[in-house]
Amino acid sequence: MSGHHHGEDGVSRRKVLECMTWAGTGVLWTITGGVPRSLGIIDSAEAATAAAAGMTFLQISDSHVGFDKPANPNALGTLEEAINKINAMPVKPSFMIHTGDITHLSKAAEFDNADRIISQSKLDVHYVPGEHDFLDEEVKFYRERYGRGTKGAGWYSFDAGGVHFVGLVNVVDLKGGGLGNLGAEQLAWLEDDLRGKSKSTPVVLFAHIPLWTVYPEWGWGTEDGGRALEYVKGFGSVTVLNGHIHQVMQKVEGNVTFHTARSTAFPQPAPGTAASPGPMKVEDAKLRTMLGVASINFKQNEQRLAIIDTPLQG
Amino acid sequence: MKTLNRRDFGVDFGLTLAAAILLPITTARADDTNMEVHIDNFVFQPPELTIKVGTTVTWTNRDDIPHTVVSAGKFRSKTLDTDDKFSFTFTNAGDYKYFCSLHPHMTGMIKVE
Ligand SMILES: [Cu+2]
């Protein structure tokens, strides 16, 4: 979608500057006793309480560093705004995950800029790539920076706070139909990675494109995502986190909770409500309400995952 | 053959006018050796194009999101950012199916006669 939405009455310099000040943050999650619970924001009293009771981690997504079109002429600025919000949190999360599209065009300078801003959080960050991070000819920038110790195109797992985290890559080798793709090698690795894990171990899967079918007409789903979900079927608590669609979407299916985080860069339309999934230009006053962060809290003895997302401005 | 990008007009007012003016210009003539495909709203336009051997087709990405133009084993563009172009000259007859490797639901076809 091009910038022609700006066209009706033109865009004043002041309005452009306003555009540049809004930002998204992430999702703060807290883990208590194995069940992830997302908290809204970052400066809420609830976040502090939840964090006191368990481990918290943050999710941010879709920073699109390098994007400079009218939907947000300064994606780096809004990322920095998000990181500033994170730094102002009353309780420091244990770590952060980034669910991809760190950059817009996979340029070295874009990765440098993203690193410079995100590292200001002083948090460990676990990344998975989005399709925008694999655009360099040799597909090496992402892997050189974030791929150490990972398998294949960048998948890996780790344990934290009694929870098993698995970062998956579904942006490689996309096939006709337009959906994300995990591939046989990664699925075999995942099955093996989960084998022998106690079924009471909480599992968090995270990937860029939704593992569940959100809207196949726009490629919002993963062709073989169902295979991955089969492997986690027997587990008591499964949380699936993703980015890619730049809006909050959530569903609970049995023991599996699916959750999509906002972008820190620009919103995208709800499924089917526009000619394409391209960047959505909204009224400047509304923009900050469409970007945000998420927090996650794993709570002891609570089987239900409650997710509260917090926009930058609400 | 140079077609006018709607960006050349800056804003909406030009779009309808531009379309009206452009139609006769962009209509293929039998001796055309240069043809254009635009990407707008995640769609290749026109989605199917019939050309003669020796014709060069130029794709222009007019979206705010990068796209690619890939025909397996035949041609592959670099990532096209907004307003970037990719050209390929067809020297053999046949049907060339192509797609965007980032958004594979985007497909197109060049028929070379
Ligand atoms: Cu594309």
Side-chain angles (χ1 to χ4, degrees):
Chain A
M1 160 154 157
S2 308
H4 58 280
H5 281 228
H6 259 307
E8 313 301 356
D9 46 23
V11 184
S12 70
R13 169 96 183 132
R14 188 184 59 78
K15 277 195 166 170
V16 170
L17 288 172
E18 274 173 11
C19 276
M20 292 168 73
T21 58
W22 50 267
T25 27
V27 193
L28 180 68
W29 294 82
T30 172
I31 306 165
T32 314
V35 176
R37 209 170 145 252
S38 114
L39 302 165
I41 198 34
I42 287 198
D43 49 6
S44 74
E46 193 188 0
T49 311
M55 179 191 80
T56 64
F57 70 96
L58 262 165
Q59 179 189 4
I60 65 169
S61 200
D62 297 87
S63 307
H64 284 266
V65 170
F67 182 84
D68 60 0
K69 300 300 181 296
N72 179 357
N74 185 11
L76 185 65
T78 52
L79 172 63
E80 184 159 34
E81 220 176 289
I83 298 298
N84 289 342
K85 285 235 164 201
I86 290 164
N87 287 340
M89 287 172 65
V91 180
K92 196 176 157 75
S94 297
F95 58 87
M96 181 150 75
I97 64 172
H98 191 302
T99 41
D101 285 356
I102 306 156
T103 66
H104 192 62
L105 291 165
S106 302
K107 293 186 171 160
E110 294 176 349
F111 281 113
D112 286 345
N113 286 335
D115 268 359
R116 181 166 51 78
I117 300 302
I118 292 172
S119 65
Q120 288 169 13
S121 71
K122 305 230 166 35
L123 293 169
D124 273 341
V125 187
H126 302 274
Y127 290 91
V128 285
E131 74 279 13
H132 288 263
D133 300 316
F134 275 171
L135 298 179
D136 50 320
E137 287 292 285
E138 297 159 62
V139 194
K140 63 172 189 178
F141 288 142
Y142 175 88
R143 296 210 49 197
E144 282 176 359
R145 279 161 197 268
Y146 309 112
R148 207 167 300 142
T150 66
K151 319 270 185 205
W155 57 84
Y156 59 96
S157 65
F158 64 96
D159 294 288
V163 179
H164 189 60
F165 289 83
V166 186
L168 298 172
V169 179
N170 55 2
V171 297
V172 178
D173 202 14
L174 301 184
K175 303 269 191 320
L179 297 177
N181 182 52
L182 292 161
E185 190 191 347
Q186 184 171 201
L187 284 166
W189 169 85
L190 176 64
E191 188 175 23
D192 194 51
D193 180 73
L194 294 169
R195 187 174 295 134
K197 291 263 172 323
S198 156
K199 296 294 187 243
S200 62
T201 306
V203 175
V204 173
L205 303 180
F206 60 103
H208 178 64
I209 298 176
L211 287 180
W212 44 303
T213 304
V214 175
Y215 193 63
E217 290 81 354
W218 284 355
W220 289 0
T222 300
E223 185 98 55
D224 49 6
R227 294 273 308 281
L229 298 173
E230 264 169 42
Y231 301 150
V232 294
K233 234 176 200 162
F235 288 84
S237 160
V238 179
T239 306
V240 180
L241 306 177
N242 62 271
H244 189 58
I245 69 173
H246 297 210
Q247 60 198 286
V248 170
M249 214 168 271
Q250 185 189 343
K251 81 165 177 169
V252 179
E253 214 176 81
N255 292 331
V256 183
T257 301
F258 299 86
H259 186 84
T260 303
R262 289 184 175 94
S263 162
T264 66
F266 55 84
Q268 285 179 290
T273 60
S276 82
M280 181 166 60
K281 178 71 186 82
V282 299
E283 286 171 54
D284 293 343
K286 208 180 156 195
L287 288 173
R288 281 192 196 139
T289 67
M290 305 184 79
L291 304 176
V293 306
S295 64
I296 300 140
N297 187 9
F298 283 77
K299 216 162 208 173
Q300 200 82 46
N301 306 323
E302 250 187 48
Q303 288 309 304
R304 197 174 52 86
L305 179 150
I307 296 176
I308 310 154
D309 282 278
T310 307
L312 259 199
Q313 188 185 77
Chain B
M1 182 174 83
K2 159 90 170 113
T3 55
L4 291 166
N5 187 312
R6 72 170 180 242
R7 278 164 204 283
D8 295 341
F9 293 87
V11 289
D12 277 343
F13 80 87
L15 192 55
T16 318
L17 183 63
I21 294 170
L22 285 177
L23 274 173
I25 304 171
T26 52
T27 301
R29 295 188 307 269
D31 60 345
D32 265 348
T33 52
N34 292 290
M35 299 292 287
E36 307 236 354
V37 176
H38 291 141
I39 302 170
D40 270 311
N41 283 320
F42 291 62
V43 171
F44 293 108
Q45 201 57 252
E48 190 176 312
L49 197 57
T50 302
I51 59 171
K52 300 267 183 254
V53 168
T55 302
T56 299
V57 176
T58 300
W59 285 262
T60 305
N61 177 19
R62 305 207 300 198
D63 273 347
D64 285 350
I65 285 289
H67 296 293
T68 64
V69 183
V70 179
S71 183
K74 303 286 175 23
F75 54 83
R76 167 177 280 270
S77 75
K78 289 189 176 173
T79 302
L80 305 177
D81 194 9
T82 306
D83 293 335
D84 282 354
K85 293 171 188 296
F86 167 72
S87 295
F88 184 80
T89 302
F90 291 84
T91 51
N92 292 303
D95 288 350
Y96 296 78
K97 280 188 187 172
Y98 66 91
F99 74 121
C100 166
S101 63
L102 293 169
H103 313 101
H105 59 280
M106 296 169 56
T107 58
M109 162 89 93
I110 307 291
K111 285 175 166 294
V112 185
E113 294 174 333

